[in-house]
Amino acid sequence: MLSELRIRDFAIIERLELRLDTGFVVFTGETGAGKSIIVDAVQLLLGGRADSTMVRTGCEAAIVEGTFRLDGPHGEAVSDILRREDLLEESDFVELAREIRREGRSLARVNGRTVNLSLLREVGELLVDVHGQSEHLSLLRVREHLHLLDRFAEVENERAAYEEVYRELQGLRAELGQLRQSERDAAQRTDLLTFQIGEIEAANLKPGEEAGLLEERTRLANAEQLSRLAEEAASALSEAMDERPSAAEGLGRAAHAAAALARVDSSMAAAAGESQSLVEQAGDLAKRLRAYGESIEFNPRRLEQVEERLSLLHNLQRKYGASVDAVLEHLDQARRELETITHASERIQVLEQEEAARLEDLGKRGKALSEKRRKAGERLAKGIESELGDLKMAGARFGMDLKWEEDPHGAPVDRRRIGFGPMGLDHAEFLVAPNPGEGLKPLAKIASGGETSRLMLGLKSVLARADQTPTLIFDEIDQGIGGRVGAIVGAKLRRLARSHQVLCITHLPQLAAFGDLHFRVEKVQRGGRTFTTVGPLSKEERLSELAQMLGGASEANRRSAAELLSEAAKG
């Protein structure tokens, strides 16, 4: 239940705080006073579209906040969502807020914490159902009729089970479509994959071999230079040149002198050891250099083989990947794809069997869902016809046309193939015969504005008995109906308020008289600015307001207003 509504700098509302209670709450006021702006603010609070033009001129932001009491099944559902999102507080209330900045940015909050808009909508849908003037049009949109019927029939579980099978079937059919397309292209694709696999396998690739080949190519291409340089280095270490001793001889003399030095001064023992080590290292290095030089061979044939191998690798990399590893990965993928194509017919056969099983299941679930809808449609029609009788449309008939369409690719039902969609097998449309003796015809084609308003009220009244949404808001549900019917509408809304909090914006005094709480919406001007004010009416103020709605504050109208209140009190 909406217990508090706070609006600031929204449209022509500067600041508004409403404290609401259970029961039937009515809002009245002159056209243009801002009554529907309050509904717009609530819809924004519930996750509706935000627009920077909603910000009051000269202000930085518009803010709408609402406090809702959590009770009943919907309260428990809201608490589950808040618990899931770690937003639940130790309280019987939840705070929703929406802020629109002048530059167009919008913020949503739940219990003071910023949330995304989808979460705000998820919570809001469980708390409030708004029936604005545009809601009348939902009766004229045939695609909405099945949704309305399902809401009355309470087939959420059956629909969910059907939808799960439907999604599985769609997934199967998508895979089947791909496989069948692949099968059509199989011969050409098989040839290509077979060639690619053969080409890569013939190369007998090994991970990391390219780096080794590049090193070997460098050695082979520079064999003479490498051999010469190795010999020069070894000779410099071990052979005398131009009457100069070799490096090894020089190191030997240095080691001999260092040893003699250490015998005299023991602190130089380490230096003597290092000198001897250098002599040994120089000898070892000379041996390694000569061995390396002797291993180098000038082999043009091997160099040609290495160049050919590298060329093959580069060619494969150009076709299948930037490295040997990438080419090998392509080989694995090609093998898997070829195996898939090879076994495609087997997989298609398996999927076709699964498709048939899902279709069979879908047909059974769709038929069961349809049967519940038909029974619910009959109850709905009787309920609405009863409501229409009260609304001065006695003799009017209401019906639901549920049709199946045959489809060769549809679900098997009673030895027929029936087309289906995400909501079931049914195509639904409301039918109406406004006057006795007329046949049922599509509602969208024949209902007048006043009839549509009464049909909507009748439908909402019947649906509301199955709908536990705590707060229902009706924005000018009296559109297109007169005073006599207005009293009946008021009585119905008051009865509806026994199980819901009902907020209603109205121009009809006959309807407004049934309110448990009455607010007047006024537009005033101060300092060249326009403001909307809203306030609860006392008993005397309410009498004056109803008299004004009847045509003016005359004594006769006041007496009429008093009679309306008296009659409403009896209802």
Side-chain angles (χ1 to χ4, degrees), residues 40-51:
D40 293 340
V42 173
Q43 288 180 314
L44 181 74
L45 183 64
L46 302 175
R49 185 182 65 84
D51 190 324

Side-chain angles (χ1 to χ4, degrees), residues 268-330:
M268 294 303 294
E274 290 174 12
S275 300
Q276 184 59 39
S277 177
L278 287 173
V279 172
E280 294 171 357
Q281 289 178 30
D284 290 341
L285 178 58
K287 290 178 182 178
R288 291 202 304 274
L289 287 169
R290 281 206 165 85
Y292 172 78
E294 291 171 357
S295 70
I296 297 296
E297 62 173 331
F298 179 66
N299 189 342
R301 175 59 183 158
R302 176 56 186 164
L303 178 59
E304 183 180 350
Q305 291 173 344
V306 171
E307 293 283 9
E308 288 177 355
R309 181 65 175 174
L310 285 171
S311 177
L312 173 62
L313 295 184
H314 293 159
N315 183 49
L316 293 174
Q317 289 169 9
R318 179 177 56 81
K319 291 181 179 180
Y320 307 118
S323 65
V324 171
D325 288 343
V327 175
L328 291 172
E329 175 61 26
H330 181 85

Side-chain angles (χ1 to χ4, degrees), residues 536-567:
L537 299 180
S538 65
K539 185 176 181 180
E540 184 61 29
E541 289 171 333
R542 189 178 189 192
L543 191 66
S544 298
E545 175 71 4
L546 292 175
Q548 288 287 351
M549 295 173 70
L550 285 165
S554 66
E555 190 59 34
N557 284 338
R558 288 179 65 83
R559 285 195 300 271
S560 297
E563 290 176 7
L564 288 178
L565 289 171
S566 177
E567 288 298 319

